[in-house]
Amino acid sequence: GAVVSQHPSWVICKSGTSVKIECRSLDFQATTMFWYRQFPKQSLMLMATSNEGSKATYEQGVEKDKFLINHASLTLSTLTVTSAHPEDSSFYICSPRDSPYNEQFFGPGTRLTVL
Amino acid sequence: KNEVEQSPQNLTAQEGEFITINCSYSVGISALHWLQQHPGGGIVSLFMLSSGKKKHGRLIATINIQEKHSSLHITASHPRDSAVYICAVSDNTDKLIFGTGTRLQVFP
């Protein structure tokens, strides 16, 4: 399968700080990037979808000004959690796809803990 | 009622046993995915299928489009197969809808 990296793998931060999570597709071009978050013992929840070079489309209930997504290149997408609060503590997973008919691959995830 | 239902929710097995996990869905789909999530959280895509059957090593996935049902089979299970197995479908909006997962524990 394709190689997807996320950085950092885990981060602990103070309330009010911003955290940037990077997602790289190492051996294919991700025309579409999905960002998910997962709370303990729950399913993955789609936060937003972005296509390279376009603005992200956010799911209902996800604040676009709080979760900033940049998908400026076919191999890199970033998610920035601005002014993080304890309720933002979660497991964030990126999922790139190279075309609509192909598999989605998943990054290893970033565990965010906001104190 | 969830659009994607999995059963069982939890499954324990002895090493070597044949395992079946079931997935039923109620929406129109373009594809069905089986994913594996290990305790550390990382997700691996096992299969993407839209008809018939696929096999990879000890894993077999089948889908019946008419019955809106898929099964994931693990032959000769091993403790390293212990993980959460997730069924997800690509709906007509091209988004994935996830089942709640099946937690599998295989004991030596």
Side-chain angles (χ1 to χ4, degrees):
Chain A
V3 180
V4 181
S5 71
Q6 265 186 254
H7 178 80
S9 55
W10 59 270
V11 56
I12 301 172
C13 69
K14 292 182 179 179
S15 185
T17 59
S18 293
V19 175
K20 180 187 279 189
I21 301 169
E22 289 187 352
C23 176
R24 294 181 186 273
S25 55
L26 300 180
D27 55 359
F28 72 103
Q29 294 184 326
T31 55
T32 303
M33 183 68 74
F34 301 90
W35 283 95
Y36 297 92
R37 63 180 165 184
Q38 185 180 34
F39 295 105
K41 297 194 185 298
Q42 293 189 22
S43 295
L44 280 73
M45 292 167 40
L46 181 64
M47 298 175 67
T49 304
S50 71
N51 292 300
E52 185 261 340
S54 302
K55 286 186 179 179
T57 302
Y58 289 80
E59 294 299 298
Q60 195 172 10
V62 179
E63 300 174 55
K64 63 179 174 65
D65 295 329
K66 180 171 181 62
F67 298 98
L68 303 178
I69 291 172
N70 184 293
H71 191 178
S73 82
L74 290 171
T75 58
L76 173 64
S77 177
T78 61
L79 167 67
T80 301
V81 183
T82 62
S83 188
H85 287 278
E87 58 265 29
D88 299 323
S89 298
S90 187
F91 190 59
Y92 291 86
I93 305 168
C94 68
S95 179
R97 189 182 66 191
D98 60 356
S99 84
Y101 303 106
N102 286 351
E103 280 182 80
Q104 265 179 248
F105 299 98
F106 293 85
T110 296
R111 190 163 301 281
L112 171 64
T113 302
V114 185
L115 302 176
Chain B
K1 189 179 190 308
N2 292 335
E3 293 167 307
V4 180
E5 298 266 1
Q6 283 184 240
S7 65
Q9 285 188 321
N10 294 285
L11 184 56
T12 57
Q14 287 293 126
E15 183 173 357
E17 286 185 8
F18 180 83
I19 288 161
T20 296
I21 300 171
N22 295 299
C23 175
S24 297
Y25 54 93
S26 57
V27 296
I29 70 168
S30 56
L32 183 141
H33 307 252
W34 280 103
L35 312 171
Q36 180 192 55
Q37 186 170 31
H38 277 281
I43 293 176
V44 174
S45 177
L46 299 175
F47 295 104
M48 182 178 80
L49 63 166
S50 53
S51 66
K53 176 179 172 179
K54 284 190 176 181
K55 185 176 189 292
H56 185 257
R58 295 181 294 107
L59 302 178
I60 303 167
T62 63
I63 187 168
N64 184 318
I65 298 294
Q66 287 73 31
E67 295 187 4
K68 295 190 173 182
H69 181 269
S70 175
S71 293
L72 176 68
H73 306 285
I74 304 175
T75 61
S77 59
H78 191 276
R80 64 174 175 268
D81 297 326
S82 299
V84 176
Y85 291 84
I86 303 168
C87 171
V89 299
S90 302
D91 70 2
N92 294 329
T93 67
D94 202 31
K95 293 177 184 174
L96 286 183
I97 305 172
F98 295 89
T100 52
T102 295
R103 187 172 300 273
L104 170 66
Q105 285 187 297
V106 182
F107 293 99

